[in-house]
Amino acid sequence: MDSQPEADLIAAARAAAGHSYSPYSHFAVGAALLFADGRVITGTNVENASYGLALCAETVAVAKAMADGVRGGLEAIAVTGPGTEPITPCGRCRQVLNELAQLGGTDPVVLCVGPDEVKRTRLSALLPDAFGPASLG
Ligand code: THU
């Protein structure tokens, strides 16, 4: 991926983390999704007094995209957390991201963003042999 779109996507994920509602974990996460038409849709984690109901940043971003009618063209994902190391999307988020990716037939780049380091991978590497819409026949 080109350096400017990558830098913009990382900046969007970091900005989204600034809106995190995480009073229980104090672990602010931001996610940003880049689509083929250039659109960027962000998400942040949204926790709940009933702790187990927390929504992850990536899942919120996918839900926002779906709610806006976006069904494909997912080209890249950036995710960032508060620690000193890059974080990777949790297992549930990998599955949720895969749904949107498979709808458009893409294998998005995943940027795992730390304060000083960006790990680059692909969703297919994080979720090999994924179960998705095509699996239902
Ligand atoms: N979290 C995310 O938002 N994304 C992930 O991929 C991992 C975890 C959130 C959930 C919870 O609000 C906090 O981080 C601590 O687990």
Side-chain angles (χ1 to χ4, degrees):
M1 159 175 206
D2 292 339
S3 61
Q4 193 55 53
E6 180 176 304
D8 291 347
L9 196 65
I10 290 169
R14 287 194 168 125
H19 296 135
S20 171
Y21 177 69
S22 47
Y24 308 108
S25 73
H26 305 288
F27 195 85
V29 181
L33 311 180
L34 174 65
F35 293 89
D37 63 1
R39 182 139 64 140
V40 171
I41 296 180
T42 61
T44 190
N45 53 330
V46 179
E47 298 186 345
N48 192 280
S50 180
Y51 298 164
L53 301 184
L55 301 174
C56 286
E58 303 92 316
T59 291
V60 168
V62 170
K64 281 175 66 182
M66 291 286 212
D68 283 351
V70 179
R71 291 290 183 274
L74 180 58
E75 292 193 334
I77 301 155
V79 57
T80 187
T84 54
E85 296 296 320
I87 63 162
T88 57
C90 81
R92 183 176 188 271
C93 287
R94 295 177 195 200
Q95 183 68 27
V96 169
L97 289 162
N98 178 69
E99 185 79 16
L100 185 52
Q102 270 201 16
L103 283 177
T106 60
D107 180 15
V109 172
V110 181
L111 306 172
C112 305
V113 181
D116 312 309
E117 182 193 356
V118 179
K119 283 188 183 161
R120 293 167 187 80
T121 184
R122 292 260 175 195
L123 188 58
S124 62
L126 294 176
L127 191 70
D129 302 319
F131 180 86
S135 311
L136 294 173

